[in-house]
Amino acid sequence: MFTMSPGRRYRLAAGSLALLAAVLLIVDLGLGVHYNKLTDSHLTLDDTERISKELVVLQDTYKTAVETMKDARKQLDSEMSRQTQTNWELEHQTKRSNDYKSQMEKITKEIETTRSRLSMISDGCKHCPAGWILMNSVCYYFPLKSNIMKTWKESRDFCQLQGGDLIIIDSQDKENLTVNFLINHQDASEPPTGFWIGLSDSEEEGTWKWLDGTFLVQGYWNDGEPNNQDNEDCAAVYPIVNFFKA
């Protein structure tokens, strides 16, 4: 037993068909010449019997040739079908390879981003500007001692002048850390001060979105909020012990 490539089997099948056609053509020409010679002479009984036998042999040969050609055609069709499936598989594997390549590129970028933060994490807050704190590998600034009240827009402008933006609290851990920091660093004798965060529904009433364009998934609203009182469009965080309502 041995195997061969689809291209080689295809060439063998085509060659077999061509060879059979040539054999039939040669036999036909030979019989034509033979019978032309016989037309000029008187046929005997032996000649008739011999011709009958030759016709039987020729018919058998023809039938065999036809069956062989049918088998060759079936083999050719089978090879063509296999070639089509091979092309489909090649297309499928190429797509998988491209998908893996895209995933590798994404993972590589994430690794590089993580590496860039390692020094900040290992060395602590000295990589943050004075007065800023480090949480979740990001520097944050809370003007705890300031008595100046700002609007949401004014607060964001101030943050952007410092090279940052209003805080995005898009996870339970960030919410808990932020609220606990405010509780531990504000004067307990003073009324709790809230801070604007990067969340608003100014684009579409009732649809809350973070500044990075993502929609609010889980809100830690205080009782009765949001109520749109006085056409409120912006959110703030407060030092409330139950941070699920902060």
Side-chain angles (χ1 to χ4, degrees):
M1 298 295 293
F2 63 93
T3 60
M4 62 179 69
S5 65
R8 185 176 180 185
R9 289 195 295 267
Y10 175 83
R11 291 194 296 270
L12 286 176
S16 298
L17 291 175
L19 180 59
L20 287 172
V23 170
L24 290 176
L25 179 61
I26 293 173
V27 171
D28 183 58
L29 292 175
L31 287 176
V33 173
H34 176 70
Y35 290 131
N36 284 335
K37 293 180 179 180
L38 291 177
T39 56
D40 298 332
S41 61
H42 179 71
L43 293 178
T44 65
L45 181 60
D46 292 338
D47 292 332
T48 304
E49 292 179 353
R50 187 180 72 256
I51 292 173
S52 298
K53 292 180 180 179
E54 289 179 353
L55 285 174
V56 172
V57 173
L58 179 59
Q59 288 175 349
D60 293 339
T61 303
Y62 175 76
K63 291 180 180 179
T64 302
V66 169
E67 293 299 325
T68 304
M69 290 182 67
K70 289 181 179 179
D71 293 340
R73 171 58 64 180
K74 291 181 180 179
Q75 183 179 0
L76 179 61
D77 292 341
S78 176
E79 293 300 332
M80 293 297 294
S81 176
R82 292 179 184 176
Q83 184 65 37
T84 299
Q85 294 181 10
T86 301
N87 292 337
W88 291 343
E89 183 177 2
L90 177 61
E91 181 181 357
H92 173 70
Q93 295 297 342
T94 300
K95 183 179 182 300
R96 290 186 62 190
S97 177
N98 292 334
D99 291 343
Y100 288 144
K101 182 178 179 181
S102 298
Q103 292 178 12
M104 288 297 297
E105 291 177 351
K106 180 180 179 181
I107 293 174
T108 300
K109 290 181 180 179
E110 292 177 351
I111 292 175
E112 292 300 326
T113 301
T114 303
R115 285 178 177 174
S116 66
R117 295 179 178 178
L118 285 178
S119 59
M120 181 185 297
I121 296 173
S122 60
D123 294 339
C125 293
K126 70 180 184 180
H127 282 276
C128 293
W132 294 56
I133 64 168
L134 181 69
M135 290 193 306
N136 296 318
S137 305
V138 180
C139 296
Y140 295 94
Y141 174 71
F142 297 92
L144 296 170
K145 297 181 180 180
S146 175
N147 294 321
I148 301 176
M149 303 294 291
K150 296 180 181 293
T151 65
W152 187 87
K153 178 67 167 56
E154 291 171 342
S155 296
R156 189 182 186 192
D157 291 341
F158 172 80
C159 291
Q160 291 178 332
L161 285 175
Q162 314 306 314
D165 211 333
L166 291 175
I167 184 173
I168 294 177
I169 310 177
D170 55 0
S171 71
Q172 182 173 319
D173 288 339
K174 288 183 181 180
E175 173 77 4
N176 191 15
L177 287 171
T178 303
V179 173
N180 282 332
F181 175 82
L182 296 179
I183 292 175
N184 294 330
H185 290 81
Q186 282 195 337
D187 189 348
S189 62
E190 297 290 336
T193 301
F195 292 88
W196 294 117
I197 62 177
L199 179 67
S200 73
D201 69 344
S202 57
E203 294 182 3
E204 182 179 351
E205 189 65 40
T207 302
W208 292 87
K209 294 173 63 176
W210 296 103
L211 292 178
D212 61 2
T214 58
F215 291 95
L216 176 66
V217 177
Q218 182 177 5
Y220 302 93
W221 300 108
N222 200 350
D223 295 335
E225 297 290 349
N227 54 24
N228 200 33
Q229 184 178 354
D230 298 326
N231 195 28
E232 295 171 328
D233 290 324
C234 306
V237 61
Y238 289 84
I240 299 177
V241 176
N242 182 358
F243 70 87
F244 288 99
K245 297 182 179 183

